[in-house]
Amino acid sequence: AQSVSQHNHHVILSEAASLELGCNYSYGGTVNLFWYVQYPGQHLQLLLKYFSGDPLVKGIKGFEAEFIKSKFSFNLRKPSVQWSDTAEYFCAVSSGNTGKLIFGQGTTLQVKP
Amino acid sequence: ETGVTQTPRHLVMGMTNKKSLKCEQHLGHNAMYWYKQSAKKPLELMFVYNFKEQTENNSVPSRFSPECPNSSHLFLHLHTLQPEDSALYLCASSQPSGGARETQYFGPGTRLLVL
């Protein structure tokens, strides 16, 4: 069965620190990859997505993610975090002929001012 | 952002009550989804509707009964729930594209507490 693994469950950073959140998936075929963010009290929002093409994807708010097929990974990065980036981040994967999403457990990011 | 709305936002119910959650999407999409989000667990897909037809039931107990009267509205009818059903219930929508290149847009969720 397909699965998505986010290794960091809780990350605490100071403002201006660099961020990298890990995401690995288990599926050998063509995949579509997503990062969603859930700010406190708000709904899930799409940060970025990868369907094909350039494996380095840029999203909103200065986030980017790199698809490394050989490592089955889609890690999320931001060079300098802000206090407003405090949120929960979810990696998700879809594959095959459906839009069915498989989500990781989520990573809670806390940015200290 | 008001693309996908859900009501109510909070709900407290007893185990013998019957209630319904409502979801409406204003994006012109034809696929709608119900997810359950529990603490410390991945989002769990519950149901999928494509063009008003249920295409997936992810082994959800029958005390949860979905209804999709049209492509814009999705309901989740609840009856005789258990305390472990307390969670955030999320609705999402997408535009089916015949492949997996669909982006789902989520509503704010209904926070459900079963006493």
Side-chain angles (χ1 to χ4, degrees):
Chain A
Q2 296 176 47
S3 66
V4 178
S5 177
Q6 291 181 243
H7 311 295
N8 319 101
H9 298 299
H10 198 151
V11 173
I12 302 174
L13 295 173
S14 297
E15 276 195 312
S18 64
L19 170 72
E20 181 160 1
L21 301 182
C23 174
N24 287 89
Y25 63 91
S26 63
Y27 184 72
T30 301
V31 293
N32 302 290
L33 300 153
F34 305 81
W35 275 98
Y36 283 87
V37 61
Q38 191 171 30
Y39 297 104
Q42 297 189 30
H43 61 279
L44 273 170
Q45 301 173 41
L46 182 69
L47 261 184
L48 48 79
K49 61 187 177 184
Y50 172 81
F51 288 163
S52 64
D54 188 343
L56 184 61
V57 180
K58 295 196 182 299
I60 61 171
K61 305 188 180 186
F63 286 91
E64 64 179 30
E66 185 175 12
F67 171 48
I68 303 180
K69 188 174 181 179
S70 61
K71 294 185 178 180
F72 299 89
S73 70
F74 190 56
N75 292 356
L76 181 71
R77 299 194 293 248
K78 185 170 183 177
S80 175
V81 294
Q82 300 172 322
W83 176 78
S84 58
D85 293 324
T86 294
E88 192 155 13
Y89 293 80
F90 295 92
C91 181
V93 175
S94 68
S95 62
N97 294 322
T98 74
K100 178 179 172 181
L101 282 177
I102 307 297
F103 280 87
Q105 276 191 300
T107 297
T108 301
L109 172 65
Q110 183 182 351
V111 180
K112 294 183 175 179
Chain B
E1 189 175 322
T2 58
V4 181
T5 58
Q6 290 185 243
T7 55
R9 295 292 307 274
H10 297 88
L11 178 62
V12 180
M13 60 186 290
M15 288 190 285
T16 57
N17 291 161
K18 289 185 180 181
K19 297 286 185 183
S20 295
L21 310 184
K22 178 183 176 182
C23 175
E24 183 173 1
Q25 59 93 2
H26 310 272
L27 301 170
H29 292 163
N30 287 293
M32 296 187 77
Y33 310 77
W34 279 117
Y35 288 87
K36 177 182 179 183
Q37 186 178 22
S38 305
K40 302 187 188 304
K41 293 177 69 175
L43 270 76
E44 302 170 57
L45 179 65
M46 300 174 72
F47 301 102
V48 181
Y49 279 82
N50 279 279
F51 297 91
K52 302 188 297 178
E53 299 298 319
Q54 187 181 123
T55 54
E56 180 134 1
N57 176 339
N58 201 23
S59 302
V60 180
S62 59
R63 59 185 182 268
F64 295 91
S65 175
E67 178 190 1
C68 189
N70 55 61
S71 291
S72 298
H73 293 86
L74 184 65
F75 295 89
L76 188 63
H77 304 299
L78 316 171
H79 61 100
T80 60
L81 293 193
Q82 304 299 310
E84 59 264 30
D85 296 321
S86 299
L88 181 68
Y89 289 85
L90 294 173
C91 174
S93 73
S94 69
Q95 184 53 36
S97 60
R101 293 190 175 193
E102 301 171 20
T103 300
Q104 292 183 26
Y105 295 88
F106 286 81
T110 295
R111 176 72 61 185
L112 174 67
L113 176 62
V114 181
L115 300 176

